[in-house]
Amino acid sequence: MKILGIETSCDETSASIVENGTKIISNTVFSSQEVHAKTGGIIPENAARQQITSIIPVLEKSIKKTGFDAIAVTVGPGLIGSLLVGIETARTLSYVYKKPIIPVNHLVAHIYANFLEKKQLPLFPNICLVVSGGHTDLIYMRNLKSIKYLGGTRDDAAGEAFDKTARLLKLPYPGGPSIALKAKEHSKNFLSLFPRPMIHDKNFEFSFSGLKTSVFNKVKDTKITNNLQSKFAAEVQEAIVDVLIHKTLIAVDRFKPKSLLLAGGVSANQRLREKLTEEIEKKQIKVDVYLPKLEYCTDNAAVIASCAFFNKKYIPWQKIKVNPELTITDKV
Ligand code: KG4
Ligand code: ZN
């Protein structure tokens, strides 16, 4: 079965055809990040306007190669103007091609980056850390249908912490990749300059907004040199990565899952991937670690189509609705 996925929740416009949830036939992603870099962050109207201009070219490229049996589209969470472009496109295609629509929760879809082009699919139960620009969620999946929320951020998401601290360090948007790149210029002799919020709390909650304040206080009367940028980038990254890994491994210890999955834009972070793998080896934890291919970590429609295949719920085009506030445990 071939599913056409459509993703327009934020600043990526993407269309993809995926066969049986795992095999990618096409995956076209257009990012409007250049536009947002000029304003130092996303202005929702600009993001929606970019979605409108990109959706047809992206679709044309992805559906050129083959037909499809159903249309999967992100209904939330995300920016309402951006989401609407995807939904109205799916609605029109559904009417014209007489194919059903499968609504998809964007956060759940991120998890399916671990199912794409893998010889062995992750075994259940699993623990999954979903870290994106707007969300930090730690979940326990007993099976495809059962998602138990263990904890998440009380304030800023991990990606948001990267984006906001990058801005304070005068590094370009999006902050995650900029911080990661700058941090590479620094040695791995860390001074722990920044707090590891809530790391010792015996729960699965996160809080990253204090990190931004801490960076602000340290840079406010200081000249931002290249040296300072690389040192602070490395220290900020280490603080975020330490908390994410610490809480994730507590969850692994408590729930003894068969596999551990990373997902979302921040899962593209090399330091997070490297340190998590090191810790698991060092502590001899028995769990299969799944790290998605980098291109499937950040927003793309292949994960939307994959998620739809494993969570089929058809709805007629008249019934589809956006839900910008959707959480990871909400049904669509
Ligand atoms: O999942 P995603 O593409 O979009 C949302 O659903 O939000 O995640 C985007 C977030 C941004 O905050 C971006 O800075 C972060 O992921 N990100 C990274 C890296 N690549 C993207 N953060 C850290 N290191 C990276 N390499
Ligand atoms: Zn995302």
Coordinates of all heavy atoms in Angstrom, one line a residue, residues 56-113:
I56 N 2.7 23.2 -4.0 CA 2.4 22.5 -5.3 C 3.7 22.0 -5.9 O 3.8 20.8 -6.3 CB 1.7 23.5 -6.3 CG1 0.3 23.9 -5.7 CG2 1.5 22.9 -7.7 CD1 -0.7 22.8 -5.6
P57 N 4.8 22.8 -6.0 CA 6.1 22.2 -6.5 C 6.5 21.0 -5.7 O 7.0 20.0 -6.4 CB 7.1 23.4 -6.3 CG 6.3 24.6 -6.1 CD 4.9 24.2 -5.6
V58 N 6.4 21.0 -4.4 CA 6.8 19.8 -3.6 C 6.0 18.6 -3.9 O 6.5 17.5 -4.1 CB 6.8 20.2 -2.1 CG1 6.7 19.0 -1.2 CG2 7.9 21.1 -1.7
L59 N 4.7 18.8 -4.0 CA 3.8 17.7 -4.4 C 4.1 17.1 -5.7 O 4.1 15.9 -5.9 CB 2.3 18.2 -4.4 CG 1.5 18.0 -3.2 CD1 0.1 18.7 -3.4 CD2 1.3 16.5 -3.0
E60 N 4.2 18.1 -6.7 CA 4.4 17.6 -8.1 C 5.7 16.7 -8.2 O 5.7 15.7 -8.8 CB 4.7 18.8 -9.0 CG 3.4 19.4 -9.5 CD 3.6 20.6 -10.5 OE1 4.6 21.3 -10.3 OE2 2.7 20.8 -11.3
K61 N 6.7 17.1 -7.4 CA 8.0 16.4 -7.4 C 7.7 15.0 -6.8 O 8.3 14.0 -7.3 CB 9.0 17.1 -6.7 CG 10.4 16.9 -7.2 CD 11.4 17.9 -6.7 CE 12.7 17.3 -6.8 NZ 13.7 17.8 -5.9
S62 N 7.0 14.9 -5.8 CA 6.9 13.6 -5.0 C 5.9 12.7 -5.7 O 6.1 11.5 -5.6 CB 6.5 13.9 -3.6 OG 7.6 13.7 -2.8
I63 N 4.8 13.2 -6.4 CA 3.9 12.3 -6.9 C 4.1 11.9 -8.4 O 3.4 11.2 -9.0 CB 2.4 12.7 -6.7 CG1 2.1 14.0 -7.4 CG2 2.1 12.8 -5.2 CD1 0.6 14.4 -7.2
K64 N 5.2 12.5 -8.9 CA 5.6 12.3 -10.3 C 5.8 10.8 -10.6 O 5.5 10.3 -11.6 CB 6.8 13.1 -10.6 CG 7.0 13.4 -12.1 CD 8.0 14.5 -12.3 CE 9.3 14.3 -11.6 NZ 10.2 15.4 -11.7
K65 N 6.5 10.1 -9.6 CA 7.0 8.8 -9.8 C 5.9 7.7 -9.8 O 6.0 6.7 -10.4 CB 8.0 8.5 -8.8 CG 9.3 9.2 -9.0 CD 10.4 8.7 -8.0 CE 11.6 9.6 -8.0 NZ 12.4 9.4 -6.8
T66 N 4.9 7.9 -9.0 CA 3.9 6.8 -8.7 C 2.6 7.3 -8.2 O 2.5 8.4 -7.7 CB 4.6 5.8 -7.7 OG1 3.6 4.7 -7.5 CG2 4.9 6.4 -6.4
G67 N 1.6 6.4 -8.3 CA 0.3 6.7 -7.7 C 0.3 6.4 -6.2 O 1.3 6.1 -5.6
F68 N -0.9 6.6 -5.6 CA -1.0 6.3 -4.1 C -2.4 5.9 -3.8 O -3.4 6.1 -4.6 CB -0.6 7.6 -3.3 CG -1.3 8.9 -3.8 CD1 -2.5 9.2 -3.3 CD2 -0.7 9.7 -4.8 CE1 -3.2 10.4 -3.7 CE2 -1.4 10.8 -5.2 CZ -2.6 11.2 -4.7
D69 N -2.6 5.2 -2.7 CA -3.9 4.7 -2.3 C -4.6 5.5 -1.2 O -5.8 5.3 -1.1 CB -3.6 3.2 -1.7 CG -2.8 2.4 -2.7 OD1 -3.3 2.2 -3.8 OD2 -1.7 2.0 -2.3
A70 N -3.9 6.3 -0.5 CA -4.5 7.1 0.5 C -3.6 8.4 0.8 O -2.4 8.4 0.4 CB -4.6 6.4 1.8
I71 N -4.2 9.4 1.4 CA -3.4 10.6 1.7 C -3.3 10.8 3.2 O -4.4 10.8 3.9 CB -4.2 11.8 1.1 CG1 -4.4 11.6 -0.5 CG2 -3.4 13.1 1.3 CD1 -5.5 12.3 -1.0
A72 N -2.1 11.0 3.7 CA -1.9 11.2 5.1 C -1.5 12.7 5.3 O -0.7 13.2 4.5 CB -0.8 10.3 5.7
V73 N -2.1 13.3 6.3 CA -1.7 14.7 6.5 C -1.6 15.1 8.0 O -2.4 14.6 8.8 CB -2.7 15.7 5.7 CG1 -4.1 15.5 6.3 CG2 -2.2 17.1 5.8
T74 N -0.7 15.9 8.3 CA -0.5 16.4 9.7 C -1.7 17.3 10.0 O -1.9 18.3 9.3 CB 0.8 17.3 9.8 OG1 1.9 16.5 9.4 CG2 1.0 17.7 11.3
V75 N -2.4 17.0 11.1 CA -3.5 17.9 11.6 C -3.1 18.7 12.8 O -3.7 19.7 13.2 CB -4.8 17.1 11.9 CG1 -5.3 16.4 10.7 CG2 -4.5 16.1 13.0
G76 N -1.9 18.4 13.4 CA -1.4 19.2 14.5 C -0.4 18.4 15.3 O -0.2 17.2 15.0
P77 N 0.3 18.9 16.3 CA 0.3 20.3 16.6 C 1.2 21.1 15.6 O 1.9 20.6 14.8 CB 1.0 20.4 18.0 CG 1.9 19.2 18.0 CD 1.2 18.2 17.1
G78 N 1.0 22.5 15.6 CA 1.8 23.3 14.7 C 1.1 24.7 14.6 O 0.2 25.0 15.4
L79 N 1.6 25.4 13.6 CA 1.1 26.8 13.4 C -0.2 26.6 12.6 O -0.2 26.0 11.5 CB 2.1 27.6 12.7 CG 3.5 27.7 13.3 CD1 4.5 28.4 12.4 CD2 3.4 28.5 14.6
I80 N -1.2 27.3 13.0 CA -2.5 27.1 12.3 C -2.5 27.4 10.8 O -3.0 26.7 10.0 CB -3.7 27.8 13.1 CG1 -5.0 27.4 12.5 CG2 -3.5 29.3 13.1 CD1 -6.2 27.5 13.4
G81 N -1.9 28.5 10.5 CA -1.8 29.0 9.1 C -1.1 27.9 8.2 O -1.5 27.6 7.1
S82 N 0.0 27.4 8.8 CA 0.8 26.4 8.0 C 0.1 25.1 7.9 O 0.0 24.5 6.8 CB 2.1 26.2 8.8 OG 2.9 27.3 8.7
L83 N -0.5 24.7 9.0 CA -1.3 23.4 9.0 C -2.4 23.4 8.0 O -2.7 22.5 7.3 CB -1.9 23.2 10.4 CG -0.9 22.7 11.5 CD1 -1.6 22.9 12.9 CD2 -0.5 21.3 11.3
L84 N -3.1 24.6 7.9 CA -4.3 24.7 7.0 C -3.9 24.5 5.6 O -4.7 23.9 4.8 CB -4.9 26.1 7.2 CG -5.9 26.2 8.4 CD1 -6.3 27.6 8.6 CD2 -7.1 25.3 8.2
V85 N -2.7 24.9 5.2 CA -2.3 24.7 3.8 C -2.2 23.2 3.5 O -2.7 22.7 2.4 CB -0.9 25.4 3.6 CG1 -0.4 25.1 2.1 CG2 -1.0 26.9 3.8
G86 N -1.7 22.4 4.4 CA -1.6 21.0 4.2 C -2.9 20.3 4.2 O -3.2 19.5 3.3
I87 N -3.8 20.7 5.1 CA -5.1 20.1 5.2 C -6.0 20.4 4.0 O -6.6 19.5 3.4 CB -5.8 20.6 6.5 CG1 -5.1 19.8 7.6 CG2 -7.2 20.3 6.5 CD1 -5.8 19.8 8.9
E88 N -5.9 21.7 3.5 CA -6.8 22.0 2.4 C -6.2 21.3 1.1 O -7.0 20.9 0.2 CB -6.8 23.5 2.2 CG -7.6 24.3 3.3 CD -9.0 23.7 3.6 OE1 -9.7 23.3 2.6 OE2 -9.3 23.6 4.8
T89 N -4.9 21.1 1.0 CA -4.4 20.4 -0.1 C -4.8 19.0 -0.1 O -5.2 18.4 -1.1 CB -2.8 20.5 0.0 OG1 -2.4 21.9 0.1 CG2 -2.2 19.9 -1.3
A90 N -4.7 18.3 1.1 CA -5.2 16.9 1.2 C -6.6 16.8 0.9 O -7.0 15.8 0.2 CB -4.9 16.5 2.7
R91 N -7.4 17.7 1.3 CA -8.9 17.7 1.1 C -9.1 17.7 -0.4 O -9.9 17.0 -1.0 CB -9.5 19.0 1.7 CG -10.9 18.8 2.1 CD -11.5 20.2 2.4 NE -11.0 20.9 3.6 CZ -11.5 20.6 4.8 NH1 -12.4 19.7 5.0 NH2 -11.1 21.3 5.9
T92 N -8.4 18.6 -1.1 CA -8.6 18.8 -2.6 C -8.2 17.5 -3.3 O -8.9 17.0 -4.2 CB -7.8 20.0 -3.1 OG1 -8.1 21.1 -2.3 CG2 -8.2 20.3 -4.5
L93 N -7.0 17.0 -2.9 CA -6.5 15.8 -3.6 C -7.5 14.6 -3.3 O -7.7 13.8 -4.2 CB -5.1 15.4 -3.0 CG -4.0 16.3 -3.5 CD1 -2.7 16.0 -2.7 CD2 -3.7 16.2 -5.0
S94 N -8.0 14.5 -2.1 CA -8.9 13.4 -1.8 C -10.2 13.5 -2.6 O -10.7 12.5 -3.1 CB -9.3 13.6 -0.3 OG -10.3 12.7 0.1
Y95 N -10.7 14.7 -2.8 CA -11.9 14.9 -3.6 C -11.6 14.5 -5.1 O -12.4 13.8 -5.7 CB -12.4 16.3 -3.5 CG -13.6 16.7 -4.3 CD1 -14.8 16.2 -4.0 CD2 -13.4 17.4 -5.5 CE1 -15.9 16.5 -4.8 CE2 -14.5 17.7 -6.3 CZ -15.8 17.3 -5.9 OH -16.8 17.6 -6.7
V96 N -10.5 15.0 -5.6 CA -10.2 14.9 -7.0 C -9.8 13.4 -7.3 O -10.3 12.8 -8.3 CB -9.0 15.8 -7.5 CG1 -8.6 15.5 -8.9 CG2 -9.5 17.3 -7.3
Y97 N -9.0 12.8 -6.5 CA -8.5 11.4 -6.8 C -9.4 10.3 -6.2 O -9.1 9.2 -6.3 CB -7.1 11.3 -6.3 CG -6.0 12.0 -7.1 CD1 -5.6 13.2 -6.7 CD2 -5.5 11.4 -8.3 CE1 -4.6 13.9 -7.5 CE2 -4.5 12.0 -9.0 CZ -4.0 13.3 -8.6 OH -3.1 13.9 -9.3
K98 N -10.4 10.7 -5.4 CA -11.2 9.8 -4.7 C -10.4 8.8 -3.8 O -10.6 7.6 -3.9 CB -12.1 9.0 -5.7 CG -12.8 9.8 -6.8 CD -14.3 10.1 -6.3 CE -15.0 10.9 -7.3 NZ -14.6 12.3 -7.4
K99 N -9.5 9.4 -3.0 CA -8.7 8.6 -2.1 C -9.0 9.1 -0.7 O -9.2 10.3 -0.5 CB -7.2 8.8 -2.3 CG -6.8 8.5 -3.8 CD -6.7 7.0 -4.0 CE -6.3 6.8 -5.5 NZ -6.6 5.5 -6.0
P100 N -9.1 8.2 0.3 CA -9.4 8.6 1.6 C -8.2 9.3 2.3 O -7.1 9.2 1.9 CB -9.6 7.3 2.4 CG -8.8 6.3 1.6 CD -8.8 6.7 0.2
I101 N -8.6 10.1 3.4 CA -7.5 10.8 4.1 C -7.3 10.1 5.5 O -8.2 9.6 6.1 CB -8.0 12.3 4.4 CG1 -8.3 13.0 3.1 CG2 -7.0 13.0 5.3 CD1 -8.6 14.5 3.3
I102 N -6.0 10.1 5.9 CA -5.7 9.6 7.2 C -5.1 10.8 8.0 O -4.0 11.3 7.6 CB -4.7 8.4 7.1 CG1 -5.2 7.3 6.2 CG2 -4.3 7.9 8.5 CD1 -4.2 6.2 5.9
P103 N -5.7 11.2 9.1 CA -5.2 12.3 9.8 C -4.0 11.8 10.7 O -4.0 10.7 11.2 CB -6.4 12.8 10.7 CG -7.2 11.6 10.8 CD -7.0 10.7 9.6
V104 N -3.0 12.7 10.9 CA -1.8 12.3 11.6 C -1.4 13.3 12.7 O -1.4 14.5 12.4 CB -0.6 12.0 10.6 CG1 0.7 11.8 11.4 CG2 -0.9 10.9 9.7
N105 N -1.0 12.8 13.8 CA -0.5 13.6 14.9 C 1.0 13.8 14.6 O 1.8 12.8 14.6 CB -0.7 12.9 16.2 CG -0.2 13.6 17.4 OD1 0.8 14.3 17.4 ND2 -0.8 13.5 18.6
H106 N 1.5 15.0 14.4 CA 2.9 15.3 14.1 C 3.9 14.7 15.1 O 4.9 14.2 14.7 CB 3.0 16.8 13.9 CG 4.4 17.2 13.6 ND1 4.9 17.4 12.3 CD2 5.4 17.6 14.4 CE1 6.1 17.8 12.4 NE2 6.5 17.9 13.6
L107 N 3.6 14.8 16.3 CA 4.5 14.3 17.4 C 4.6 12.8 17.3 O 5.7 12.3 17.5 CB 4.0 14.8 18.8 CG 4.1 16.3 19.0 CD1 3.4 16.7 20.3 CD2 5.6 16.7 19.0
V108 N 3.5 12.1 17.2 CA 3.6 10.6 17.1 C 4.3 10.3 15.8 O 5.1 9.3 15.8 CB 2.1 10.0 17.1 CG1 2.2 8.5 16.9 CG2 1.4 10.4 18.3
A109 N 4.1 11.0 14.7 CA 4.8 10.7 13.5 C 6.3 10.8 13.6 O 7.0 9.9 13.0 CB 4.3 11.7 12.4
H110 N 6.8 11.7 14.4 CA 8.3 11.7 14.5 C 8.9 10.4 14.9 O 10.0 10.0 14.5 CB 8.7 12.8 15.6 CG 8.9 14.2 15.0 ND1 9.8 14.4 14.0 CD2 8.4 15.4 15.3 CE1 9.9 15.7 13.7 NE2 9.0 16.3 14.5
I111 N 8.2 9.6 15.8 CA 8.6 8.3 16.2 C 8.9 7.4 15.0 O 9.8 6.6 15.1 CB 7.6 7.7 17.2 CG1 7.3 8.6 18.3 CG2 8.0 6.3 17.6 CD1 6.0 8.2 19.1
Y112 N 8.1 7.5 14.0 CA 8.2 6.6 12.9 C 9.5 6.8 12.0 O 9.7 6.0 11.1 CB 6.9 6.6 12.0 CG 5.8 5.9 12.9 CD1 5.1 6.6 13.8 CD2 5.6 4.5 12.7 CE1 4.2 6.0 14.6 CE2 4.7 3.9 13.5 CZ 4.0 4.6 14.5 OH 3.1 4.0 15.3
A113 N 10.2 7.8 12.3 CA 11.5 8.0 11.7 C 12.4 6.7 11.9 O 13.3 6.4 11.2 CB 12.3 9.2 12.2

